[in-house]
Amino acid sequence: MAPRSPLIVLLLLFVSVPRCCYSTAAAAAATLSSPSPSPSVRSAPLVPALFVIGDSTADVGTNNYLGTLARADREPYGRDFDTRRPTGRFSNGRIPVDYIAERLGLPFVPPYLEQNMRMGVGSAGLTNIDGMIQGVNYASAAAGIISSSGSELGMHVSLTQQVQQVEDTYEQLSLALGEVAVANLFRRSVFFVSIGSNDFIHYYLRNVSGVQMRYLPWEFNQLLVNTVRQEIKNLYNINVRKVILMGLPPVGCTPHFLEEYGSQNGECIDYINNVVIEFNYALRHMSSEFIHQHTDSMISYCDTFEGSVDILNNRDHYGFVTTTDACCGLGKYGGLFMCVLPQMACSDASSHVWWDEFHPTDAVNRILADNVWSGQHTKMCYPMDLQEMVKLKL
């Protein structure tokens, strides 16, 4: 391995220094991770609540409360967000669930760990659960479908653990509101699930524990999808009926892998994208099979890959200048190192598809959210988009 430059060493030291006293830091972060949108006249919500399960594509501050390197609670993250401050979102501004909450007429959904800290473990009074009534976000950066995916970065909340937190929320709300009321709340609410990239980025592609010798790509994908199916069934058992299930983006087009695999002119890495496409196909097939077996459930699979490739192939139409270079990063394509200092960022993120080595900009997140909502730019969701889903009565 080539020796690191003094700048890289300095940056590594910066991000590896523990954030002192997590309980104190968490208390300070609570005021930043779930701000209200800019004041506006909001119509009545289209659904009672939005619940979010996922990884850094959906994390709004969970990892602010954990000992991990996978944190976005420092500048320049959040510089273009409503509050102009970092909140834990891995973007320069909003992420898709923020735009979706707005479409649903709901406030931004707060992190589960923040709510637990505020209400205290075991509290179930009406006042204490007020912040959870319109939704909770359980998503955790670096989390995967496999529990150990991303563990080299530190603590995270895996898919299975997040579903357990949903079950805990169900119990907490039932104690305060009664089980009939909470069953009805969950049946009518939207559950947004976006997870799986880290099982490739931090597990399969790194060949952790020799996984590539034990599983061919299609076998690994089946393992992942079977796990997702079980967790969807666990949610179904607590009356979850409306689910938006996000497919994976073109991971092989991220600045990180363009850099790592030595892409000469910004060509995506086909090997990685082919594995992701195969996973997405299996995920879509599973969701279709699930709603066939559980006819009172609504699961819409949304093809993030398809929506993202449309943006990459039509950058001029969407107003992007570059589809390869991260706005914030180091090295060719900005994919050599994570975004940790404001000085590393470009001046105008809206001209970039990618914000950092793995995550898209606010501008891309808005387009993808529009597609989830109504297929405004390109059809992504099957068998129906979110706008259609919320209109249907159970």
Side-chain angles (χ1 to χ4, degrees):
M1 179 181 294
R4 292 189 172 96
S5 69
L7 177 58
I8 295 294
V9 173
L10 176 63
L11 291 172
L12 283 172
L13 289 172
F14 178 81
V15 297
S16 62
V17 174
R19 305 286 286 187
C20 176
C21 312
Y22 283 103
S23 60
T24 304
T31 62
L32 299 177
S33 56
S34 56
S36 298
S38 301
S40 62
V41 178
R42 186 185 291 125
S43 57
L46 300 178
V47 295
L50 172 64
F51 294 91
V52 179
I53 292 170
D55 51 28
S56 58
T57 60
D59 188 349
V60 296
T62 292
N63 281 28
N64 294 352
Y65 302 88
L66 302 177
T68 174
L69 295 178
R71 295 167 70 122
D73 57 345
R74 56 170 62 91
E75 296 178 342
Y77 287 94
R79 72 176 194 187
D80 302 315
F81 187 65
D82 299 57
T83 59
R84 299 291 186 260
R85 296 195 292 180
T87 64
R89 290 163 171 82
F90 284 77
S91 178
N92 61 300
R94 295 186 184 188
I95 57 176
V97 292
D98 297 318
Y99 287 111
I100 288 171
E102 189 173 60
R103 290 284 196 173
L104 293 171
L106 293 166
F108 292 156
V109 184
Y112 174 77
L113 293 185
E114 176 185 303
Q115 292 304 302
N116 258 21
M117 185 189 72
R118 286 177 173 174
M119 65 186 286
V121 178
S123 299
L126 288 173
T127 301
N128 290 326
I129 55 90
D130 183 63
M132 305 170 74
I133 290 294
Q134 291 188 296
V136 184
N137 189 315
Y138 308 88
S140 173
I145 298 167
I146 295 174
S147 295
S148 59
S149 293
S151 59
E152 78 276 9
L153 297 177
M155 299 170 66
H156 64 260
V157 188
S158 69
L159 172 62
T160 297
Q161 292 170 323
Q162 289 181 45
V163 173
Q164 290 171 346
Q165 290 177 342
V166 177
E167 294 170 344
D168 291 342
T169 301
Y170 189 91
E171 292 181 7
Q172 288 174 299
L173 293 175
S174 294
L175 289 172
L177 304 175
E179 188 161 356
V180 173
V182 177
N184 184 53
L185 171 69
F186 270 44
R187 286 176 66 87
R188 295 167 54 219
S189 296
V190 170
F191 282 72
F192 181 96
V193 181
S194 178
I195 197 167
S197 293
N198 292 314
D199 296 288
F200 297 98
I201 295 170
H202 294 290
Y203 196 82
Y204 194 79
L205 295 175
R206 292 179 65 244
N207 198 26
V208 173
S209 302
V211 63
Q212 294 180 15
M213 298 296 292
R214 293 183 289 118
Y215 295 98
L216 294 171
W218 70 268
E219 294 174 315
F220 184 69
N221 283 329
Q222 285 301 317
L223 172 67
L224 296 179
V225 171
N226 288 340
T227 302
V228 174
R229 188 193 187 285
Q230 181 57 56
E231 298 305 341
I232 294 291
K233 183 61 165 62
N234 290 337
L235 293 172
Y236 178 87
N237 290 340
I238 54 171
N239 297 293
V240 172
R241 294 296 182 268
K242 296 184 176 183
V243 178
I244 292 294
L245 184 60
M246 301 296 290
L248 301 187
V251 176
C253 299
T254 60
H256 175 89
F257 286 114
L258 297 186
E259 167 79 33
E260 182 174 321
Y261 281 68
S263 176
Q264 293 302 305
N265 298 301
E267 301 90 353
C268 298
I269 311 306
D270 288 340
Y271 164 69
I272 298 175
N273 279 348
N274 288 339
V275 175
V276 168
I277 289 171
E278 192 174 74
F279 170 84
N280 284 345
Y281 177 82
L283 193 67
R284 179 175 177 179
H285 177 74
M286 180 278 291
S287 65
S288 177
E289 187 178 64
F290 191 94
I291 58 179
H292 178 74
Q293 295 171 348
H294 303 83
T295 55
D296 61 336
S297 66
M298 300 181 195
I299 301 179
S300 271
Y301 163 78
C302 295
D303 196 334
T304 311
F305 193 103
E306 187 174 347
S308 300
V309 167
D310 173 62
I311 295 171
L312 296 174
N313 290 341
N314 299 283
R315 70 177 188 185
D316 292 338
H317 171 73
Y318 291 107
F320 295 112
V321 174
T322 175
T323 60
T324 58
D325 298 351
C327 173
C328 189
L330 291 177
K332 189 175 183 180
Y333 307 117
L336 178 62
F337 200 73
M338 64 189 296
C339 176
V340 294
L341 295 172
Q343 294 84 352
M344 295 168 61
C346 67
S347 59
D348 181 15
S350 67
S351 64
H352 288 63
V353 166
W354 302 104
W355 164 246
D356 64 14
E357 59 178 341
F358 287 118
H359 305 98
T361 57
D362 177 295
V364 170
N365 290 334
R366 178 193 288 271
I367 295 168
L368 294 177
D370 286 342
N371 290 339
V372 171
W373 176 248
S374 64
Q376 179 176 332
H377 309 281
T378 186
K379 182 172 176 57
M380 275 176 46
C381 300
Y382 307 89
M384 69 186 77
D385 56 42
L386 180 55
Q387 187 176 35
E388 294 175 286
M389 180 184 287
V390 299
K391 292 177 181 177
L392 295 177
K393 307 297 181 184
L394 291 169

